Amino acid sequence: MAPASAAGSRPLGVALLGCGVVGSQVVRLLHEQADDLAARIGAPVVLKGVAVRRLDAPRDADVPAGLLTTDAATLVARDDVDIVVEVIGGIEPARALILSALESGASVVTANKALLAEDGATLFEAAEKAGRDLYYEAAVAGAIPILRPLRDSLAGDRVTKVIGIVNGTTNYILDKMDTFGSGFAEALAEAQELGYAEADPTADVEAFDAAAKAAILASLAFHTRVTGSDVHREGISDVTAADVASAKDMGCVVKLLAIAELKEDADGQSAVSARVHPAMIPREHPLASVRDAYNAVFVESEAAGQLMFYGRGAGGAPTASAVLGDLVTVARNLVAGTKGVAASAYAARAVLPMGETLTRYHVAIDVDDRAGVLSAVALAFAEHGVSIQTVRQEGRGADAQLVVVSHTATDAQLSATVDRLRTMDIVRDVTSVMRVEGEE
């Protein structure tokens, strides 16, 4: 396929895979902003076809029926298609269609976080071989421009940490638990009524969605291939109203955080830590003020210092905005007869196991209310190298509970401590273990 510049300002053909919540908004924006897009790109863009599963499914009136097709494989290989936009999600057939599009000479814009986290390397290699662009800003945090800053704006800097709220559903749930004292089930039901959570909310509340995004962020920030399976994942379904209340007592709020950072391994070599889990963060931390279904990503780098990106992390129009931004960039490259800089994985750093990750912990322990309990619990922490920062007792008698906040320790040390506590006669149960992030 010849670059657009070879034919002056010839129209660029676009094929769209998927026409759901995001895809229909992409169609709308392509039509409404056609003149502006042509001016920004230097050539008009023309929608050539929209691949869908069912032709008779109800959809937005902005989608021309004459462009609909169920034959996605033929659509992506057409000679008049210069850019393929994939918003169907999932692994297959999305992977096969993207690879076919690249082999046929089209550049690709995708919002498919799950596929990028599982097999991004295959897609990037195919794009490099074909000499075409593969852009995916919409795969993480909706309309928030975070991937391009990591790839381009901070290319001359050394990013050391990326920490973010990258799932709107879980942030909405935790925000309601914090603001109104709701339980998890109650807040989830409200999120489902408002359309923030799916009927099956597993991908969100068990953090599969956030883990995929964390893998993408870590890969870009640290020039290392990180897959979803490399990311330690814990969801929010076990977060209780008591956890949220205890966080309040500490001046903290509970958030589901995606955290990627540079650390040293046991041999002193630079390595990547990638994890997603609920955590308590101080209320003065910038991420603590992120409310409702919003997303935010906090970046730390050596030269630029601290940066924060905030906005709507999901929804048809916000995600479509990110898709269109990538489409404009890819189209400009086609007009100029060039391609963008691909994601780099030159560092090839190891990914640390969760057991070696350092953080602080909040541990709630149901104990017998008798002499010597505190010293016995403190000894269990000390035996495993976990230093206690604060400890307080709540309740009396059968309701007695110790709440311990540790200094920084490895996850393995804390796990061993909790295992030891559960074997002690004076401990009825370890009711909660939650990490504490932010400055100690």
Side-chain angles (χ1 to χ4, degrees), residues 414-425:
L414 192 281
S415 294
T417 303
V418 171
D419 289 343
R420 173 70 183 104
L421 289 170
R422 286 182 167 139
T423 67
M424 298 170 65
D425 293 339

Side-chain angles (χ1 to χ4, degrees), residues 350-435:
V351 179
L352 285 177
M354 187 61 186
E356 295 181 27
T357 299
L358 289 164
T359 188
R360 292 187 295 150
Y361 301 87
H362 171 281
V363 185
I365 313 162
D366 283 348
V367 296
D368 291 338
D369 187 11
R370 53 188 169 90
V373 168
L374 180 56
S375 60
V377 168
L379 180 60
F381 277 80
E383 287 174 344
H384 295 91
V386 182
S387 173
I388 293 176
Q389 182 184 34
T390 63
V391 61
R392 69 178 188 274
Q393 179 172 331
E394 298 177 349
R396 305 289 296 178
D399 296 325
Q401 184 178 72
L402 290 180
V403 177
V404 177
V405 178
S406 76
H407 286 288
T408 300
T410 68
D411 194 81
Q413 288 174 307
L414 192 281
S415 294
T417 303
V418 171
D419 289 343
R420 173 70 183 104
L421 289 170
R422 286 182 167 139
T423 67
M424 298 170 65
D425 293 339
I426 59 171
V427 174
R428 294 192 294 268
D429 191 17
V430 179
T431 59
S432 174
V433 179
M434 188 171 294
R435 294 168 184 86

Side-chain angles (χ1 to χ4, degrees), residues 190-430:
E190 183 177 343
Q192 289 172 320
E193 289 176 7
L194 294 173
Y196 290 139
E198 301 288 345
D200 179 1
T202 303
D204 292 321
V205 300
E206 297 303 335
F208 289 99
D209 174 86
K213 295 170 181 175
I216 295 169
L217 290 169
S219 298
L220 274 177
F222 307 127
H223 309 283
T224 295
R225 294 279 185 246
V226 179
T227 68
S229 61
D230 292 324
V231 179
H232 175 82
R233 175 190 56 80
E234 296 175 29
I236 67 167
S237 56
D238 290 333
V239 176
T240 66
D243 293 328
V244 174
S246 190
K248 277 188 173 182
D249 291 340
M250 293 171 53
C252 291
V253 62
V254 178
K255 297 290 186 182
L256 181 72
L257 299 179
I259 304 171
E261 54 191 334
L262 283 184
K263 293 290 186 180
E264 287 188 356
D265 62 18
D267 298 323
Q269 299 298 310
S270 178
V272 175
S273 168
R275 49 199 166 100
V276 172
H277 52 71
M280 299 178 179
I281 56 174
R283 288 190 179 270
E284 60 268 21
H285 192 286
L287 291 176
S289 62
V290 179
R291 306 289 299 277
D292 206 68
Y294 278 77
N295 283 190
V297 181
F298 195 72
V299 179
E300 297 180 16
S301 68
E302 290 185 349
Q306 297 179 331
L307 306 167
M308 183 162 157
F309 303 82
Y310 169 85
R312 292 191 178 275
T319 305
S321 171
V323 169
L324 264 291
D326 277 351
L327 188 147
V328 168
T329 300
V330 169
R332 284 171 173 168
N333 290 341
L334 288 170
V335 169
T338 185
K339 66 183 291 291
V341 177
S344 165
Y346 73 89
R349 295 180 170 99
V351 179
L352 285 177
M354 187 61 186
E356 295 181 27
T357 299
L358 289 164
T359 188
R360 292 187 295 150
Y361 301 87
H362 171 281
V363 185
I365 313 162
D366 283 348
V367 296
D368 291 338
D369 187 11
R370 53 188 169 90
V373 168
L374 180 56
S375 60
V377 168
L379 180 60
F381 277 80
E383 287 174 344
H384 295 91
V386 182
S387 173
I388 293 176
Q389 182 184 34
T390 63
V391 61
R392 69 178 188 274
Q393 179 172 331
E394 298 177 349
R396 305 289 296 178
D399 296 325
Q401 184 178 72
L402 290 180
V403 177
V404 177
V405 178
S406 76
H407 286 288
T408 300
T410 68
D411 194 81
Q413 288 174 307
L414 192 281
S415 294
T417 303
V418 171
D419 289 343
R420 173 70 183 104
L421 289 170
R422 286 182 167 139
T423 67
M424 298 170 65
D425 293 339
I426 59 171
V427 174
R428 294 192 294 268
D429 191 17
V430 179

Side-chain angles (χ1 to χ4, degrees), residues 130-216:
R132 288 293 181 260
D133 283 325
L134 173 64
Y135 276 58
Y136 49 98
E137 183 68 60
V140 177
I144 302 174
I146 179 60
L147 301 188
R148 193 165 302 174
L150 286 175
R151 185 185 61 234
D152 300 332
S153 304
L154 295 172
D157 204 345
R158 186 173 188 263
V159 176
T160 56
K161 187 173 185 177
V162 180
I163 175 171
I165 296 166
V166 295
N167 183 274
T169 300
T170 52
N171 199 56
Y172 179 88
I173 292 170
L174 293 172
D175 183 40
K176 296 309 169 188
M177 292 176 71
D178 177 70
T179 304
F180 300 108
S182 307
F184 170 79
E186 179 186 354
L188 171 59
E190 183 177 343
Q192 289 172 320
E193 289 176 7
L194 294 173
Y196 290 139
E198 301 288 345
D200 179 1
T202 303
D204 292 321
V205 300
E206 297 303 335
F208 289 99
D209 174 86
K213 295 170 181 175
I216 295 169

